[in-house]
Structure formats: C-alpha cells, structure tokens
Amino acid sequence: VAAIKGNEFIFQLLKRMKTVGYWTKYSTGSTFESINSLEINNAVINLPKEHEQNKVGKILSYMDHAITLHEEKKRQLERLKSALLQKMFANKSGYPVVRFEGFSDEWEQCKLSDISEKSYEKNTYNKYSTVLTNSAEYGIVKQRDFFDKDIANSSNISGYYVVRKNYFVYNPRISNQAKFGPINRNKLDESGIMSPLYLVFTVHDIDVSFLETLFQTTTWHRFMYQNGDTGARADRFAIKDSTFMSMPIKVPSLEEQHKLALAFQKLDQTITLHQRKLDLLKEQKKGFLQKMFV
C-alpha cells in the first residue's frame, strides 16, 4: 500500500467519497448526519503511489483555487452592480449621485402609463404553446427549462396572455430576491404565454434596456409599499393593475438612457462570463474526480 503523504489528495478523496454517498450508509441521525470515528478509521480507500498522489492533489487544488477566484470576482462584480444601481438612478431630488460626464439635467418624472400600455392579448385558439415564467433570479424563462417540466394545464392556456419579445411582465409573487415581486423584460427570441395572474405591458418612447435596469433598482419600491398590500396570500403582493400603471418613474434624456443601458449590459455580460467559467470549472473538476479516483 502506498504511503499516505498526499494531504491534498486525501482531502479531495474524502470529499469525493461524501459526494458519491459513501458515508451515508454509516451515518446516524435524521437532522444532522453523524459518523462514528471507528467507521472512518475502517473506511476502505484505494491509494496510488506517493508521487501520483501529489500530482493529483496539485491539479485538484489548482482547480479549487481557480473556482474560488471566479466566485470572488463574481461576488465583487455583483456588489459593484448593486452599488451602481443605487447611485446612477435618480432619487427623490431628480438627480443621480453618479453620472456620466456631459449630463447634468434633472431627470423628468412621468407615470408608467405615459410610456407603457397594459397588454390584453390572449392566446386565442392556443396559437402559442411555449409557457413562460417570470423568475426573480433568472428573469423571463421557459417554464419547462425552469421547472424541468410543464406546469400549466395545456387545456386551459387559451386564457393566458401572449408575451412577445421586449414585453414587460410583473409577477406579484414576492420572495427574498424581490420584495414586491419582479418586473422583467422578455429577452427570448420568441413569443410565449403567461398566466393571467401576471401583468403584461408594452412600452414606447423609452430605451427598453434602461427601463429593465431601472426595475432592478429599489426606486419604485416605496410606491408599491404605499399603494399595495400582501393580500390574502403571504407570498403574493396585491396591487390593482390601474394603480400599478400609475407608478411614478424618473427618466433622463434618451442619450443618457442609452449610455446607462449599455454600461449595465456590459456589466451583466461580465458577470455572466464569470458564471459560465465557474460552471465549466466545476464540471471539469467533477469529471476529473470521476476519472482520477477508483
């Protein structure tokens, strides 16, 4: 049997054994798993020679380090975005705290109904079959992708609202990520349908990406707090459609809207890039663990 000197190798091996459920058969307790030290001491493991232990340990340690770096970079970017959302959109004074050079005018206040209209288009004759959902975390996505199955009753989707590309949707379902429910834009390259529980609206005379980013701020939360209610269901916020559409919002010139929208689009793309790298690294490590350990 090879000498056990590769501490990193043993560390990774034990994590792998936990992942594949090796310890579950020895664990006790329903709330917190507990394993007898004798069972740990008697665990059967396969070890390569010392130099191979060291090489495998170094590779996996490097991957863990890379994963940690991307996780931290992603957290930093998300914190930066959160700070910029607070500072680059106009507050009650009508002026943002931070602005691009060359812009100094006060933002104009208008009602949501001035730049949008509620959509009443129903899925007549079941023309569309792609059911969408409005997630606080992921935005507007296909229901099948989000839940891994169709939740809607296919025999009752004729009463669903049609959601075309760039339509906005308000979901009154509240969560930790969306205190008053999320408002998102359909960025999919196809039309879909949504339950009549959602409020669907179209917009005009405004940069759609700017408005989408504005709804990621908290500037509209006070209005919701003052004009709505959690209603009978604790997980759903209640507000009349007409009241919602009267929401006051502050908007700058179209040129400033475009610059703001582009800046946050680039920031979102960078965050997404780090998430993809993270997913790839984790998948690669998973593959290595499956192939490197017996």
Side-chain angles (χ1 to χ4, degrees):
V1 179
I4 304 178
K5 292 186 178 180
N7 291 335
E8 183 65 32
F9 177 89
I10 296 299
F11 172 70
Q12 298 287 348
L13 174 61
L14 293 175
K15 286 207 302 183
R16 167 68 177 160
M17 292 169 72
K18 179 180 179 181
T19 301
V20 299
Y22 178 90
W23 303 110
T24 303
K25 57 187 175 182
Y26 299 112
S27 66
T28 60
S30 56
T31 305
F32 298 100
E33 288 188 353
S34 176
I35 304 173
N36 188 295
S37 60
L38 182 62
E39 300 290 356
I40 297 176
N41 290 334
N42 291 333
V44 177
I45 59 176
N46 295 294
L47 294 173
K49 293 187 180 299
E50 183 182 339
H51 73 278
E52 188 175 352
Q53 292 180 36
N54 290 333
K55 285 188 176 182
V56 172
K58 283 181 181 179
I59 291 173
L60 295 175
S61 177
Y62 172 79
M63 295 189 78
D64 280 345
H65 182 62
I67 288 171
T68 300
L69 285 177
H70 281 294
E71 285 176 336
E72 179 56 30
K73 183 64 176 178
K74 180 171 174 281
R75 280 194 293 268
Q76 290 176 357
L77 287 168
E78 288 172 339
R79 286 194 291 266
L80 173 63
K81 179 182 177 181
S82 179
L84 291 177
L85 285 172
Q86 292 180 355
K87 295 180 181 296
M88 296 191 76
F89 285 79
N91 51 32
K92 289 187 294 185
S93 69
Y95 297 91
V97 176
V98 176
R99 299 184 84 167
F100 290 108
E101 186 176 353
F103 297 100
S104 59
D105 291 341
E106 181 180 359
W107 286 26
E108 180 183 351
Q109 179 166 303
C110 64
K111 292 181 180 180
L112 183 59
S113 58
D114 294 332
I115 49 97
S116 70
E117 296 174 349
K118 180 180 175 181
S119 176
Y120 294 91
E121 183 184 4
K122 293 290 186 71
N123 187 33
T124 309
Y125 308 118
N126 290 354
K127 181 178 179 181
Y128 300 99
S129 58
T130 302
V131 181
L132 307 176
T133 191
N134 187 4
S135 162
E137 185 175 1
Y138 301 107
I140 294 177
V141 294
K142 296 178 183 179
Q143 190 181 84
R144 176 171 284 276
D145 294 341
F146 189 70
F147 294 105
D148 292 326
K149 61 179 180 179
D150 290 324
I151 304 298
N153 186 341
S154 59
S155 64
N156 194 35
I157 59 174
S158 61
Y160 278 35
Y161 285 121
V162 174
V163 182
R164 302 186 184 279
K165 186 174 181 179
N166 287 328
Y167 278 25
F168 283 77
V169 180
Y170 169 57
N171 178 2
R173 188 179 183 85
I174 59 179
S175 64
N176 291 333
Q177 292 91 355
K179 188 175 180 181
F180 298 99
I183 306 172
N184 286 307
R185 174 169 65 99
N186 179 20
K187 293 183 283 188
L188 301 174
D189 289 324
E190 64 177 290
S191 298
I193 54 175
M194 278 193 176
S195 163
L197 292 174
Y198 297 96
L199 170 61
V200 180
F201 59 98
T202 63
V203 300
H204 53 82
D205 301 321
I206 195 167
D207 186 302
V208 292
S209 294
F210 165 81
L211 186 61
E212 176 188 22
T213 307
L214 183 147
F215 284 132
Q216 294 175 24
T217 73
T218 59
T219 56
W220 53 283
H221 286 191
R222 184 174 179 82
F223 170 82
M224 299 292 281
Y225 175 78
Q226 292 176 335
N227 293 276
D229 198 345
T230 53
R233 291 183 54 175
D235 65 340
R236 194 173 298 279
F237 191 80
I239 187 169
K240 293 180 179 178
D241 290 353
S242 58
T243 303
F244 179 90
M245 297 301 289
S246 70
M247 178 192 301
I249 58 173
K250 288 183 169 60
V251 296
S253 66
L254 273 174
E255 185 182 359
E256 190 171 1
Q257 289 178 39
H258 295 330
K259 291 204 73 169
L260 275 166
L262 183 59
F264 280 96
Q265 282 176 352
K266 289 181 177 179
L267 187 53
D268 283 338
Q269 288 169 359
T270 306
I271 293 172
T272 300
L273 179 62
H274 280 283
Q275 184 61 58
R276 286 175 180 167
K277 288 181 178 179
L278 259 176
D279 294 340
L280 178 60
L281 281 168
K282 289 179 179 179
E283 196 61 31
Q284 286 178 336
K285 184 185 175 186
K286 181 181 177 182
F288 284 160
L289 286 172
Q290 290 174 343
K291 295 176 181 179
M292 287 183 169
F293 291 99
V294 179

